Amino acid sequence: MPSFDIVSEIDMHEVSNAVDQAKRELGNRWDFKNVEADIELDDQTITVSAEQEFQLEQLMDMLRMAFAKRNIDARAIDDDGESKAGKLVKKHLKLRQGIETDQGKKIVKMIKDAKMKVQASIQGDKVRVNGKKRDDLQEVIAMLKDSDLELPLQFNNFRD
């Protein structure tokens, strides 16, 4: 029976490369000379810090551009809030991986509402879709790509 998995994953190696690329750009920019600004990556969190609010936004733009160059979906970044520490303004960004239960339920409901001849089930942090025909599974993939979910989806483990 044909099946595939719907997952939401990001390549952490590409994330670290994107952060390094943004740091190099930060070092080369003349408007950041003699300014205390930094981008740090800790496990699943990115911390962006600068002296001024507008500098923080410029750093965020540099980071988004580096992510785009590395084909990392910007929807995988979740804003975790700002904090002010001394003379620095910091923004904490959380990297989202895996499909949470409520998101998984929403995806399963979308598939069931489309009245396709497939079954979808939540398995941990992924959603497995089974069907009798390969074409039905490909219709599900096309429908989910066209939907406007707030997390990036990948389709893997396609089996005939």
Side-chain angles (χ1 to χ4, degrees):
M1 191 168 199
S3 68
F4 71 92
D5 293 334
I6 303 168
V7 295
S8 178
E9 299 173 340
I10 51 176
D11 187 4
M12 289 306 292
H13 185 67
E14 288 295 325
V15 170
S16 74
N17 286 342
V19 169
D20 289 344
Q21 185 178 354
K23 279 185 176 183
R24 279 194 305 276
E25 186 178 342
L26 172 65
N28 292 336
R29 296 234 339 218
W30 63 270
D31 54 341
F32 280 98
K33 296 287 184 211
N34 301 323
V35 173
E36 195 172 326
D38 195 21
I39 302 171
E40 297 175 19
L41 173 66
D42 295 328
D43 197 31
Q44 295 289 317
T45 307
I46 298 173
T47 305
V48 181
S49 60
E51 293 176 358
Q52 303 281 328
E53 194 74 34
F54 75 94
Q55 292 170 337
L56 191 68
E57 288 305 315
Q58 288 177 337
L59 285 174
M60 289 297 300
D61 287 341
M62 287 191 318
L63 190 62
R64 282 188 204 103
M65 291 297 292
F67 271 43
K69 287 178 185 175
R70 295 273 175 188
N71 295 324
I72 301 170
D73 200 325
R75 294 178 294 179
I77 302 171
D78 193 21
D79 192 356
D80 213 20
E82 288 186 13
S83 64
K84 201 160 177 118
K87 65 178 184 173
L88 292 179
V89 180
K90 293 185 178 187
K91 185 172 243 181
H92 305 284
L93 306 169
K94 193 174 180 184
L95 299 172
R96 287 196 281 177
Q97 293 208 59
I99 299 175
E100 296 173 8
T101 307
D102 57 334
Q103 294 278 339
K105 288 180 183 177
K106 186 176 179 182
I107 292 170
V108 170
K109 185 176 180 340
M110 283 175 62
I111 293 170
K112 286 186 179 180
D113 289 346
K115 304 269 192 237
M116 295 181 187
K117 295 179 181 177
V118 296
Q119 293 83 36
S121 60
I122 300 171
Q123 296 185 341
D125 61 350
K126 62 184 174 183
V127 177
R128 171 146 305 154
V129 180
N130 296 314
K132 290 185 179 178
K133 294 184 193 172
R134 178 184 190 147
D135 293 340
D136 294 337
L137 298 179
Q138 289 173 339
E139 284 180 36
V140 171
I141 291 173
M143 179 197 61
L144 289 173
K145 282 184 178 179
D146 290 339
S147 69
D148 56 340
L149 293 170
E150 58 269 2
L151 74 156
L153 296 177
Q154 292 86 34
F155 308 98
N156 63 15
N157 209 10
F158 197 101
R159 297 198 176 154
D160 243 347

